[in-house]
Amino acid sequence: MTKFLLIALCATSILAVAPKSLEAANIKRACLASDRAEATRDRCNCIQRVADQALTRSDQKTISKWFQDPHQAQELKMSRTARDDALWDRYQNFGQMAQAICS
């Protein structure tokens, strides 16, 4: 019975983590897919680590799209909603941290 409970607990833990890991690394993937010469695997890994500390998953999902279409970032920057302003502030903070840590 104890062995069964241990296996069940392990299976539950794996299933609980799996969806998160599938969604993770949006910034890293976008970074690697970009055509920037500076987008090395090591630098993109570093940027993803900073993103994990500075941004929510939702922020990362939104910001990762900006690598492909920077105009989306400009539209958000020009927006005057409190929500967009807050995301822009978090993005600016993330960018400064990534530059300081990953350069």
Side-chain angles (χ1 to χ4, degrees), residues 2 5 14 18 43 46-47 51 79 81 89:
T2 305
L5 290 175
I14 290 169
R43 181 163 290 144
C46 180
I47 292 169
S79 171
T81 68
D89 289 344

Side-chain angles (χ1 to χ4, degrees), residues 21-95:
S21 63
L22 292 176
E23 295 174 9
N26 286 326
I27 299 290
K28 176 185 170 185
R29 281 194 301 274
C31 177
L32 289 171
S34 72
D35 60 355
R36 294 171 179 91
E38 301 85 15
T40 64
R41 182 166 297 281
D42 285 343
R43 181 163 290 144
C44 291
N45 281 331
C46 180
I47 292 169
Q48 181 63 56
R49 284 192 302 272
V50 174
D52 289 340
Q53 293 176 356
L55 303 168
T56 66
R57 289 205 191 274
S58 177
D59 290 348
Q60 290 183 40
K61 187 175 180 181
T62 299
I63 292 168
S64 68
K65 295 174 186 174
W66 299 350
F67 282 79
Q68 196 65 253
D69 184 7
H71 183 68
Q72 289 181 18
Q74 184 64 28
E75 286 181 5
L76 184 120
K77 181 180 179 183
M78 300 310 292
S79 171
R80 288 293 150 218
T81 68
R83 182 174 170 237
D84 289 347
D85 285 346
L87 174 56
W88 187 255
D89 289 344
R90 290 190 302 275
Y91 172 68
Q92 290 284 317
N93 183 51
F94 156 70

